[in-house]
Amino acid sequence: PTSLMVLLDELIADILSRLPVKTLMQIKCVCKSWKTLISDDPSFAKLHLQRSPRSTHLLLLPAWNRPDEDFDCSVLPFPSFL
């Protein structure tokens, strides 16, 4: 059962990593595990960046508001140099 859950989590991360940043920001409210993956997991952010088209001009950046608030990510326009 545990290995099945790990496989399912990896599959979800793989699928979500292929979505545009704007869509990720919209769907992170689907469930807590998706929000955590999208907003808190640096390896997911790296995977998403690797899979993003080079012409993408949005950057997913971590943002902390106040110490008592949750970690969140912001989408910022960013020139593409690649």
Side-chain angles (χ1 to χ4, degrees), residues 18-37:
R18 299 170 190 277
L19 297 175
V21 172
K22 186 174 181 178
T23 303
L24 290 175
M25 295 299 102
Q26 293 170 337
I27 66 168
K28 69 180 184 177
C29 64
V30 168
C31 65
K32 189 173 182 176
S33 64
W34 285 21
K35 182 181 186 305
T36 300
L37 176 68

Side-chain angles (χ1 to χ4, degrees), residues 35-51:
K35 182 181 186 305
T36 300
L37 176 68
I38 294 166
S39 300
D40 298 341
D41 188 338
S43 61
F44 175 79
K46 183 178 180 180
L47 179 62
H48 186 268
L49 183 60
Q50 290 172 344
R51 292 186 170 162

Side-chain angles (χ1 to χ4, degrees), residues 21 56-61 74-81:
V21 172
T56 298
H57 296 285
L58 296 177
L59 182 63
L60 184 62
L61 290 177
S74 298
V75 179
L76 301 173
F78 190 78
S80 178
F81 299 107

